[in-house]
Amino acid sequence: MSKGTNYIIGVFNDEDVLMDAVGTLRSSGVKIQEAYTPFPVHGLDDALGYKPSNLPIAAFLFGLTGTICALLLTIGTMGYDWPMDIGGKPYIPLPHFIPVTFELTILLASLGMVATFLVISNLKPWGHDPFMFDGRSTDDKFLLVIDLDKNKMDKDALTNLFKQTGASEVNSKIVENH
C-alpha cells in the first residue's frame, strides 16, 4: 500500500481549450489543485479562483524591520556610543541618516521577499527535489492537476469530465508525501 497523494492530470494542447475546461470543471464543483502552462495565460488566475498573494505585506514588514534596524544602528552609534561634535550640529541629525536607512530598508525588503517567495512557493533549495507532473508543460502542453482526495468525484467521473472538456490525454499519478 502506497502512502501518497493521488492526482489526476488532464493534458491540453491549446490554452483556449484549457480556459474552457477550467470553467466547466469549476462549475461542476471540481477543485483544481494547480495548472501548469508553458507560458503565462492571461485570466487563468482569475478563472482558477486564486486569491491575491500576501507577498506585499511581507515586503512591508521586512522593509519596516530594515528601517527600524537602520535607525537604531545610526542613532545608537552616533548619538550614544560615540557622539561626535561636528560643527556644532546635533548628535542625532536624522536627515543625515536617510541614505543608510533607505539602503537597509530596501535590502531587507528585497531579501525578505525572495526568502518568503521561495518558502511559500515551495521552491526553497533545501528539503526535497522539485517535482514535475509532466515535462511537456515546459514545452507546449497545458496541464490541469486535480487531487482526487479533495474532490467528491471518483477517478472515472473526473476522467470522463476531462475528456468531455477537450483534454488530449488524462493521466493519473501518485506522489509520495514528504
Side-chain angles (χ1 to χ4, degrees):
M1 184 170 178
S2 65
K3 291 182 179 180
T5 306
N6 294 322
Y7 292 102
I8 187 163
I9 304 153
V11 180
F12 297 88
N13 293 328
D14 186 63
E15 65 185 87
D16 294 330
V17 177
L18 174 85
M19 292 295 286
D20 292 340
V22 168
T24 304
L25 289 168
R26 289 199 68 204
S27 65
S28 301
V30 176
K31 295 178 183 175
I32 300 171
Q33 177 79 22
E34 189 64 72
Y36 296 94
T37 61
F39 51 83
V41 177
H42 297 287
L44 184 59
D45 292 348
D46 294 333
L48 288 170
Y50 286 167
K51 297 176 184 171
S53 169
N54 290 331
L55 207 54
I57 295 170
F60 173 75
L61 293 176
F62 282 113
L64 184 65
T65 303
T67 301
I68 291 170
C69 288
L71 288 175
L72 288 176
L73 174 73
T74 53
I75 291 172
T77 55
M78 292 293 291
Y80 298 106
D81 285 345
W82 199 317
M84 291 188 287
D85 186 8
I86 302 172
K89 294 183 179 177
Y91 291 132
I92 305 174
L94 285 179
H96 297 149
F97 297 160
I98 288 176
V100 172
T101 305
F102 175 77
E103 294 294 334
L104 201 57
T105 299
I106 298 301
L107 178 69
L108 284 190
S110 58
L111 291 177
M113 280 184 59
V114 168
T116 304
F117 174 75
L118 290 176
V119 169
I120 65 173
S121 62
N122 206 16
L123 292 173
K124 54 190 178 295
W126 62 92
H128 59 83
D129 294 331
F131 177 77
M132 183 178 288
F133 283 99
D134 194 331
R136 297 177 296 172
S137 65
T138 62
D139 188 19
D140 61 346
K141 300 293 182 187
F142 302 86
L143 304 179
L144 282 180
V145 178
I146 295 174
D147 186 351
L148 281 175
D149 299 331
K150 293 182 180 176
N151 282 286
K152 295 178 182 173
M153 289 187 185
D154 63 347
K155 182 179 175 180
D156 294 333
L158 283 172
T159 301
N160 289 334
L161 193 57
F162 263 133
K163 288 181 180 175
Q164 289 174 1
T165 58
S168 61
E169 57 185 274
V170 180
N171 303 320
S172 61
K173 192 172 258 189
I174 298 174
V175 177
E176 293 189 24
N177 296 330
H178 296 280

